[in-house]
């Protein structure tokens, strides 16, 4: 099988490409990535150098000519779209790139896949399209979409477009909706790597609001497994939920990181809340369990220990991704919150 993976130099895409090439000796992967601030070509440099089944194209999923050219390859079987602007806080500062990449870019890929008769399209979405839960209940695939941030609104728009491509053109389309991922290669603007980095440096750890917001955390390779199963066995036109069965308050996540690192809880600093901050996400993934055989493989604390081990062993990676622009963004972001 030959697959076009978009956004493969980001957090989840990197893990997905590594895992799929490891598991499937007969798969070939083309990675199309624009290399925004969140994309790092060095993540997969060893594959570029030594793995003939992997190739990299730097480019934008909004570029019609380029995407048409890549998808004209008669050997290409499938597209998996990870490419996105992915950070909620950045979407609050400026929604425009989210509309461009997450909606227009996704539609451009769908259109190119349609015109080239690609036999499978997996669009990677998020639990955030469902909006927020109160203290009880879980999101199912039948929960109405009710996004609250510019990020989740852009992802929900692309989900609707995917649905339309299936209903209107019969395009073989599957949408995956997953909860919060953690693991190797996550960019240190998201909660877990950010807290790790700041705790290591004995800096204050910003917890939004009262820290009682709840996320369901999934080990990144378990999400990759869900995407793989959707690609191989998903029903056309269906959306599938994936989760880690690991609901945690943000405060508990931060405390667990501190306990693993042996750092004091006095570093915790409550800061201004995120506007429109969703209270709770929780996933019912019965459909994926029944139809695809999906189950998460690792509990939250074990996964967190593995994640921290990875960051400890990849200090060079962390240095590399902390560009001047990153430091400026983070300084401004911290100032705005305190
Ligand atoms: P990320 O921000 O780490 O990586 C995104 C990648 O997409 C980067 O490599 C970036 O360079 C690339 N990209 C951005 N705009 C592009 C464009 N216009 N053309 C080509 N490439 C472009 O994101 P991630 O955390 O790996 O998330 C991947 C996907 O999974 C996203 O679609 C996201 O919405 C979804 N998702 C993420 C999570 C999570 O917890 N991180 C949870 C559920 C769903
Ligand atoms: P994040 O990793 O940005 O993922 P998402 O917004 O997609 O869920 O944030 C996870 C949770 O942690 C979210 O409730 C916001 C909160 N948070 C903090 O409390 N402090 C922080 O510094 C960050 C980045 C997030």
């Amino acid at each position: 099988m030959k697959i076009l993976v978009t956004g493969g130099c980001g957090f989840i895409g990197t893990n997905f490409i590594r895992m799929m090439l490891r598991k499937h000796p007969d798969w070939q992967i083309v990675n199309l990535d624009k290399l925004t601030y969140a994309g790092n070509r060095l993540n997969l440099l060893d594959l570029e150098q030594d793995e003939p089944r992997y190739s990299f194209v730097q480019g934008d999923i909004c570029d019609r000519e380029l995407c048409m050219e890549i998808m004209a390859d008669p050997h290409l079987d499938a597209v998996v779209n990870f490419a996105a602007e992915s950070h909620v806080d950045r979407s609050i500062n400026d929604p425009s790139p989210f509309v461009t990449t997450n909606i227009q870019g996704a539609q451009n890929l769908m259109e190119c896949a349609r015109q080239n008769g690609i036999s499978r399209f997996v669009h990677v979405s998020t639990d955030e399209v469902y909006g927020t839960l109160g203290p009880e209940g879980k999101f199912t695939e039948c929960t109405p979409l009710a996004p609250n941030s510019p990020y989740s609104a852009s992802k929900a728009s692309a989900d609707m477009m995917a649905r339309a491509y299936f209903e209107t053109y019969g395009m073989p389309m599957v949408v995956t909706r997953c909860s919060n991922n953690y693991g190797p290669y996550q960019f240190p603007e998201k909660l877990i790597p950010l807290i790790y980095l700041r705790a290591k440096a004995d800096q204050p750890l910003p917890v939004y609001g009262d820290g009682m917001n709840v996320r369901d955390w999934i080990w990144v390779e378990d999400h990759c497994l869900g995407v793989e199963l959707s690609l191989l066995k998903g029903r056309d036109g269906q959306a599938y939920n994936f989760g880690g069965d690991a609901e945690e308050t943000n405060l508990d996540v931060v405390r667990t990181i501190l306990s693993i690192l042996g750092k004091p809880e006095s570093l915790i600093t409550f800061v201004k809340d995120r506007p429109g901050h969703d209270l709770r996400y929780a996933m019912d993934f019965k459909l994926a369990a029944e139809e695809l055989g999906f189950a998460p493989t690792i509990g939250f604390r074990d996964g967190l220990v593995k994640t921290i081990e990875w960051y400890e062993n990849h200090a060079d990676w962390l240095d590399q991704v902390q560009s001047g622009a990153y430091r400026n963004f983070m300084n401004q972001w911290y100032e705005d919150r305190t």
Side-chain angles (χ1 to χ4, degrees), residues 87-89 128 180 189-192 194-195 206-208 213 215 217 250 274 277-278 281 333:
H87 191 37
V88 173
D89 291 329
E128 302 191 26
N180 285 60
E189 63 185 356
K190 305 281 168 61
L191 182 69
I192 288 176
L194 181 89
I195 294 298
V207 172
Y208 298 171
N213 300 64
R215 298 291 181 262
W217 292 95
N250 294 336
R274 174 188 278 174
H277 195 178
D278 288 334
Y281 304 145
W333 158 88

Side-chain angles (χ1 to χ4, degrees), residues 63-85:
D63 183 336
R64 173 64 58 93
E65 213 176 306
L66 176 64
C67 295
M68 282 299 284
E69 192 187 314
I70 295 170
M71 286 193 227
D73 176 353
H75 301 292
L76 193 74
D77 301 297
V79 174
V80 179
N81 180 31
F82 288 100
E85 290 292 335

Side-chain angles (χ1 to χ4, degrees), residues 42-318:
L42 298 180
N43 286 358
L44 296 169
L45 194 63
D46 55 326
L47 297 182
E48 254 188 85
Q49 288 166 344
D50 302 327
E51 178 49 84
R53 294 177 298 135
Y54 171 78
S55 56
F56 175 68
V57 179
Q58 181 170 1
D60 193 325
I61 61 167
C62 301
D63 183 336
R64 173 64 58 93
E65 213 176 306
L66 176 64
C67 295
M68 282 299 284
E69 192 187 314
I70 295 170
M71 286 193 227
D73 176 353
H75 301 292
L76 193 74
D77 301 297
V79 174
V80 179
N81 180 31
F82 288 100
E85 290 292 335
S86 68
H87 191 37
V88 173
D89 291 329
R90 287 185 191 250
S91 83
I92 293 168
N93 288 355
D94 181 8
S96 299
F98 288 75
V99 171
T100 306
T101 288
N102 299 2
I103 307 177
Q104 292 172 356
Q107 186 271 332
N108 184 49
L109 284 175
M110 290 173 204
E111 182 56 26
C112 294
R114 182 177 84 83
Q115 289 190 26
N116 283 288
I118 299 292
S119 52
R120 181 55 120 198
F121 194 114
V122 177
H123 176 68
V124 178
S125 186
T126 164
D127 58 353
E128 302 191 26
V129 297
Y130 296 122
T132 188
L133 290 164
E136 301 293 324
K138 294 187 174 192
F139 296 130
T140 74
E141 290 81 356
C142 296
T143 304
L145 303 195
N148 292 318
S149 71
Y151 163 68
S152 54
S154 69
K155 294 297 289 185
S157 304
D159 286 20
M160 293 286 102
M161 193 57 79
R163 177 189 159 89
Y165 266 74
F166 169 71
E167 293 291 339
T168 307
Y169 306 115
M171 201 163 121
M173 171 73 75
V174 176
V175 171
T176 64
R177 297 191 181 126
C178 189
S179 60
N180 285 60
N181 288 223
Y182 67 102
Y185 298 102
Q186 188 167 32
F187 192 74
E189 63 185 356
K190 305 281 168 61
L191 182 69
I192 288 176
L194 181 89
I195 294 298
Y196 164 80
L197 203 59
R198 293 183 72 93
K200 286 289 281 185
D202 296 307
Q203 289 173 326
L205 309 179
V207 172
Y208 298 171
D210 61 5
M212 288 297 118
N213 300 64
V214 172
R215 298 291 181 262
D216 168 56
W217 292 95
I218 184 171
W219 173 243
V220 62
E221 288 198 343
D222 286 340
H223 180 195
C224 295
L225 172 67
V227 173
E228 177 194 13
L229 291 169
S230 304
L231 177 64
L232 296 174
K233 300 203 228 168
R235 221 166 1 108
D236 289 344
Q238 188 61 52
Y240 292 96
N241 283 356
F242 297 99
D245 243 347
E247 284 185 57
E248 300 280 337
T249 64
N250 294 336
L251 196 54
D252 281 342
V253 171
V254 174
R255 285 190 175 131
T256 310
I257 296 171
L258 288 172
S259 83
I260 294 169
L261 291 175
K263 295 281 184 177
E265 290 194 7
S266 54
L267 289 174
I268 294 173
T269 310
F270 293 96
V271 298
K272 227 181 273 167
D273 207 354
R274 174 188 278 174
H277 195 178
D278 288 334
L279 177 68
R280 176 171 165 261
Y281 304 145
M283 293 300 259
D284 177 336
F285 51 84
K286 238 182 274 143
L287 187 70
E290 284 168 10
E291 287 194 11
L292 309 177
F294 170 79
T297 62
I298 180 167
F300 182 63
R301 194 183 162 97
D302 289 348
L304 203 50
V305 168
K306 274 171 73 160
T307 303
I308 287 176
E309 263 168 27
W310 188 87
Y311 282 111
E312 295 272 293
N313 292 327
H314 292 80
D316 52 337
W317 184 88
L318 276 170

